[in-house]
Amino acid sequence: MGILPLAERVARTALNRAGVQSRWVDTSVCRLHLYDGAGTGPLPTIVLLHGIGSSALPYAPVLQRLRRRARRVIAAEAPGHGWSAAPACAFTPECLSTAMNELLDRELDEPAVVVGNSLGGAVAVSYALSSPDRVRALVLASPAGACMEPTELEQLLGLFKLRSRADARSFFARLYHRVPWFAPLVADDVVRMFSREAILSFTRSARCEHAFTPEQLGSLAMPVLLIWGRSDRLMPSANLAYYRRHLPPHATIEEPEGIGHCPQVDDPRRFADRVAAFAEEALARAAGAAAQAAPAASGALGQHAAPLAQGPGKGAA
């Protein structure tokens, strides 16, 4: 057994002992795994969605911090990732959306704050478009799904073709603001992970037509926070520009220093606090709008949530 599978087992045991359930949900695609933690805070359910080749494991510190602020926190794992089963059919973007939409439809008993990183960000947007009444707010960290030229998409997908420890080290350098100490220990496991048929099938099937159109992004009516770390060396900067142009005017866009492609790994405390603060702000704005609509209400808004620390040239929409 490699180090990464062992870490997955240890993390699951630790989360279980901390009161977080480890459960499976059957979908038409395959059996999916999720972590489900009851919380002690007033915020609505928060959903955490990971990127390709990852799992819910890197979200563990964020999940635990958010349980203090929300009623419930769910971290779901995509087909062929983590403890989820691999799909019997080809793993395509359509297959991913179907599986994750079914899981969320079954699990959510209230509109949720949906948080997605990388490919998980694209899943979050897709779910918000198909089930807007179930999404109270969106937090997108370096999301996939921007429209790209075929050559640009091919170059991006090529970064996930890891064949050696050297490839893994180069990938880590693109992924994080500062490469974690444990990265060399899991290099071989990560190479094996990206050699799985589910991931190979997904990268073969991804096409430019799977990107979100400007009209789709502009139609997102719920509060949206886009976080794009200044140390993200994986996603092309043109993808950030695409989201900046086409997200609705009410969206908030932040480019924090000290954050790469995966804020849940680079700074889990800061990321969890920002997610919770944005959720509180979204609820305060909704309450203020409702109060303004009521003839006898005051309509005062809550305090504006502090963004992640910005570098020069902060982008905000």
Side-chain angles (χ1 to χ4, degrees):
M1 179 184 295
I3 293 177
L4 195 55
L6 179 61
E8 293 272 3
R9 292 179 181 276
V10 172
R12 186 172 69 166
T13 299
L15 287 171
N16 291 164
R17 289 177 176 174
V20 178
Q21 293 183 355
S22 175
R23 296 194 292 104
W24 281 264
V25 176
D26 290 322
T27 72
S28 62
V29 174
C30 62
R31 197 181 194 204
L32 299 182
H33 176 259
L34 61 84
Y35 292 103
D36 188 350
T40 57
L43 291 174
T45 298
I46 298 177
V47 176
L48 305 173
L49 302 172
H50 65 80
I52 189 169
S54 186
S55 69
L57 172 61
Y59 273 123
V62 174
L63 185 154
Q64 289 290 67
R65 290 190 68 88
L66 289 176
R67 289 178 68 197
R68 307 170 197 166
R69 311 282 290 273
R71 294 188 285 270
R72 181 188 183 198
V73 184
I74 297 172
E77 295 184 318
H81 292 69
W83 296 96
S84 291
C89 57
F91 186 39
T92 64
E94 293 84 0
C95 172
L96 174 63
S97 294
T98 297
M100 302 307 287
N101 286 5
E102 288 183 16
L103 179 144
L104 294 177
D105 280 346
R106 295 180 188 182
E107 288 296 319
L108 295 182
D109 54 8
E110 64 174 334
V113 178
V114 182
V115 182
N117 171 230
S118 195
L119 182 60
V123 173
V125 172
S126 177
Y127 189 68
L129 291 171
S130 64
S131 303
D133 57 322
R134 292 175 176 263
V135 179
R136 180 151 326 208
L138 271 178
V139 179
L140 310 173
S142 294
C147 185
M148 306 174 68
E149 294 293 332
T151 54
E152 292 177 323
L153 179 60
E154 183 178 358
Q155 290 173 354
L156 176 61
L157 294 176
L159 298 177
F160 298 101
K161 297 177 181 178
L162 308 183
R163 300 179 179 85
S164 65
R165 291 177 60 86
D167 289 344
R169 288 195 296 269
S170 177
F171 185 72
F172 292 147
R174 290 178 175 274
L175 207 58
Y176 305 118
H177 169 67
R178 184 178 292 106
V179 177
W181 64 268
F182 56 81
L185 301 178
V186 300
D188 290 333
D189 292 328
V190 170
V191 172
R192 284 191 289 270
M193 168 72 73
F194 280 94
S195 298
R196 289 183 178 179
E197 179 55 32
I199 294 178
L200 295 175
S201 175
F202 190 90
T203 56
R204 285 195 299 263
S205 61
R207 298 287 184 272
C208 294
E209 52 264 30
H210 291 127
F212 300 115
T213 66
E215 293 75 21
Q216 286 176 317
L217 294 179
S219 71
L220 296 170
M222 68 288 295
V224 179
L225 169 63
L226 174 67
I227 296 173
W228 200 286
R230 288 185 175 271
S231 297
D232 188 340
R233 293 174 286 273
L234 183 70
M235 285 287 187
S237 59
N239 289 25
L240 169 60
Y242 186 82
Y243 272 100
R244 190 190 299 281
R245 285 196 305 272
H246 301 303
L247 282 174
H250 66 260
T252 299
I253 301 176
E254 297 173 0
E255 298 180 69
E257 295 282 4
I259 298 293
H261 187 71
C262 302
Q264 69 272 25
V265 176
D266 283 322
D267 199 332
R269 179 197 59 78
R270 189 158 54 126
F271 183 58
D273 289 348
R274 185 64 186 105
V275 170
F278 183 72
E280 290 167 353
E281 178 186 335
L283 293 179
R285 287 181 175 177
Q292 288 178 348
S298 65
L301 299 184
Q303 294 294 318
H304 187 81
L308 292 176
Q310 301 290 308
K314 167 188 172 184

